[in-house]
C-alpha cells in the first residue's frame, strides 16, 4: 500500500459500503487486504515495516506462528495508512 494506491483503496471502500464510518466495516475491509501466502506476507512486511528480525515478541504472541505475528503487524500498518488517507478524503468531501 503506497500513496496513490491507498487513496484508490479508500475510494473503493467508500463506494462499496453505505456506512463508511462503521469501524467493523473498516476492519473487515483492511483484513481483506492482508496477504495470505508466506512469501507475500514476508515481502509486504519487509516493504512496509522492515526486517521481521526486529519484532519484539510480547506475552500475547507466545505460541503464535511467525507469519501470524507478521500479519498482525501488517494489519496495524495498513490500518494506520488507510485511516490517515480516509480522514484526508473525508476532510476533502466536507470542504466541498
Amino acid at each position: 500500500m503506497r500513496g496513490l494506491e491507498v487513496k484508490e483503496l479508500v475510494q473503493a471502500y467508500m463506494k462499496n459500503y453505505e456506512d463508511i464510518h462503521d469501524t467493523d466495516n473498516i476492519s473487515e475491509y483492511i483484513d481483506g487486504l492482508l496477504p495470505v501466502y508466506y512469501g507475500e506476507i514476508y515481502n509486504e512486511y519487509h516493504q512496509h515495516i522492515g526486517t521481521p528480525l526486529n519484532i519484539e515478541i510480547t506475552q500475547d504472541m507466545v505460541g503464535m506462528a511467525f507469519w501470524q505475528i507478521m500479519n498482525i503487524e501488517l494489519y496495524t500498518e495498513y490500518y494506520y495508512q488507510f485511516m490517515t488517507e480516509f480522514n484526508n478524503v473525508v476532510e476533502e468531501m466536507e470542504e466541498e
Side-chain angles (χ1 to χ4, degrees):
M1 288 181 32
R2 297 276 184 216
L4 183 60
E5 180 182 321
V6 177
K7 188 168 188 165
E8 291 171 354
L9 290 171
V10 168
Q11 291 170 343
Y13 166 78
M14 290 178 158
K15 288 178 186 173
N16 291 321
Y17 289 89
E18 288 182 24
D19 184 6
I20 61 170
H21 295 285
D22 184 0
T23 56
D24 289 337
N25 289 343
I26 293 171
S27 295
E28 177 184 301
Y29 188 77
I30 294 171
D31 188 53
L33 300 174
L34 292 174
V36 177
Y37 301 107
Y38 301 135
E40 290 177 357
I41 293 169
Y42 177 81
N43 289 336
E44 283 291 303
Y45 187 93
H46 199 270
Q47 179 181 4
H48 294 287
I49 300 172
T51 179
L53 297 176
N54 291 331
I55 295 176
E56 184 176 327
I57 304 299
T58 60
Q59 184 65 31
D60 59 324
M61 294 176 181
V62 173
M64 295 176 79
F66 201 62
W67 65 269
Q68 291 172 316
I69 295 169
M70 286 194 297
N71 248 357
I72 289 169
E73 299 283 326
L74 272 175
Y75 176 85
T76 304
E77 180 66 20
Y78 281 13
Y79 190 87
Y80 174 76
Q81 289 181 21
F82 186 88
M83 290 308 294
T84 300
E85 188 59 40
F86 178 82
N87 291 330
N88 291 339
V89 170
V90 169
E91 278 183 27
E92 289 174 6
M93 289 171 53
E94 289 174 353
E95 289 175 359
E96 292 176 358

